[in-house]
């Protein structure tokens, strides 16, 4: 429960700590001078937007290994986003990784419950991205529609990864 108060004009209230991709319903209760009033009708559900739906808000991957659980539900393509490498999807989420050593980086979407396309890029802005690699379906003919890539990486170079839906 969050309490906001004001004396005049429109009410503005900030709620923090909400989770991306979750529907929330808000209800407002106004108090009169007697400190009593009926609750208002509940609002329509509000879905909090994805935090890594845009290139500039890419989720930073910091460990040398691990996994990230995420969703691209309600994700979109943004203006100037590179053309899709495969499929007609468009629900993209972004990640970035800057290795401290040169070597080979492997990344995949194994465990996803939908058909993914995974693309790796270098570049500092969405307008200057250069594709390094992409994969659509590890083993399509065996029913594996998740994606995986392995790329040579250079120390202190930032790599961006886009995960999109195929269709």
């Amino acid at each position: 429960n969050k309490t906001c108060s004001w004396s005049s004009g429109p009410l503005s209230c900030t709620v923090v700590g909400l989770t991306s991709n979750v529907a929330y319903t808000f209800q407002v209760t106004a108090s009169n001078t007697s400190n009593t009033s009926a609750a208002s009708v509940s609002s329509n559900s509000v879905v909090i937007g994805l935090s890594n739906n845009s290139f500039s808000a890419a989720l930073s991957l910091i460990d040398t290994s691990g996994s990230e659980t995420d969703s691209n539900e309600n994700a979109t393509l943004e203006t100037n986003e590179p053309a899709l490498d495969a499929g007609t999807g468009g629900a993209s989420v972004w990640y970035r990784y800057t290795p401290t050593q040169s070597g080979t980086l492997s990344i995949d979407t194994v465990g996803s419950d939908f058909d993914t396309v995974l693309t790796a890029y270098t570049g500092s802005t969405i307008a200057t991205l250069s594709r390094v690699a992409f994969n659509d379906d590890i083993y399509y003919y065996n029913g594996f529609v998740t994606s995986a890539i392995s790329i040579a990486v250079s120390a202190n170079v930032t790599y961006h990864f886009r995960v999109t839906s195929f269709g």
Side-chain angles (χ1 to χ4, degrees):
N1 289 337
K2 173 78 175 174
T3 302
C4 297
S5 60
W6 81 105
S7 58
S8 65
L11 170 66
S12 176
C13 186
T14 302
V15 181
V16 296
L18 301 178
T19 302
S20 295
N21 218 28
V22 173
Y24 293 92
T25 302
F26 297 93
Q27 188 173 42
V28 176
T29 303
S31 296
N32 57 21
T33 56
S34 302
N35 218 18
T36 60
S37 65
S40 63
V41 175
S42 296
S43 70
N44 293 329
S45 292
V46 176
V47 176
I48 305 304
L50 294 169
S51 59
N52 59 332
N53 184 35
S54 66
F55 173 82
S56 63
L59 181 64
S60 184
L61 304 172
I62 54 173
D63 293 328
T64 56
S65 67
S67 65
E68 180 66 36
T69 301
D70 204 350
S71 171
N72 73 338
E73 187 176 346
N74 299 314
T76 60
L77 291 175
E78 64 186 292
T79 303
N80 296 322
E81 189 164 332
L84 296 175
D85 297 299
T88 59
S92 67
V93 289
W94 289 88
Y95 303 87
R96 70 176 176 269
Y97 180 68
T98 306
T100 57
Q101 299 178 28
S102 296
T104 300
L105 175 69
S106 296
I107 188 167
D108 64 61
T109 62
V110 172
S112 295
D113 60 359
F114 63 96
D115 190 351
T116 63
V117 179
L118 175 62
T119 311
Y121 299 95
T122 56
S124 59
T125 69
I126 199 162
T128 62
L129 291 176
S130 294
R131 187 174 75 188
V132 176
F134 88 95
N135 176 255
D136 172 36
D137 304 336
I138 298 170
Y139 301 112
Y140 175 76
Y141 295 105
N142 292 327
F144 293 97
V145 293
T146 55
S147 307
I149 55 177
S150 288
I151 58 172
V153 295
S154 299
N156 303 313
V157 172
T158 299
Y159 296 84
H160 297 273
F161 303 94
R162 175 176 70 172
V163 177
T164 60
S165 58
F166 179 81

